[in-house]
Amino acid sequence: MDTLVSMLVSSALTVCSGVILFLLKRLLTRQQEKEERREREVQAETALVLRSLNALGKLTVANSIALRDGKTNGEMSSALQEYEAVEKEMYDYLISRHSSRQ
């Protein structure tokens, strides 16, 4: 009888430890996926900010050249188009990011 109880207890403990390990692994996997998703979002945001700064820099340079020379040129038009495209992309990114948080 003692042997049967001992076997049942050890079997129950084995099952419990298996369930705990399964749940722990699932929790850690979810946390890792969440962290990877957050890292991808930060990378995308950083790249967008850098592109925005680059477009703003090009626009500033083109504006300075236009002021120096007293006339606008093709550099101003292309820099303004690039800035407007990046600005729209930034706006779309911010809208999608903040609307998904709710």
Side-chain angles (χ1 to χ4, degrees), residues 25-73:
K25 182 179 184 248
R26 192 169 84 174
L27 174 71
L28 292 175
T29 301
R30 285 183 181 174
Q31 286 180 337
Q32 183 178 10
E33 289 171 356
K34 185 177 179 181
E35 186 65 32
E36 288 172 355
R37 189 176 340 110
R38 187 178 304 131
E39 187 175 324
R40 283 192 303 270
E41 289 175 356
V42 167
Q43 287 175 349
E45 186 175 337
T46 302
L48 188 56
V49 167
L50 290 174
R51 283 198 310 273
S52 178
L53 288 173
N54 186 38
L56 190 58
K58 285 181 180 180
L59 185 58
T60 303
V61 168
N63 193 21
S64 298
I65 291 171
L67 285 173
R68 181 191 67 196
D69 296 343
K71 61 182 178 180
T72 59
N73 55 18

Side-chain angles (χ1 to χ4, degrees), residues 1-17:
M1 185 71 174
D2 289 337
T3 307
L4 182 61
V5 170
S6 174
M7 284 177 46
L8 288 175
V9 168
S10 75
S11 296
L13 290 175
T14 302
V15 169
C16 286
S17 66

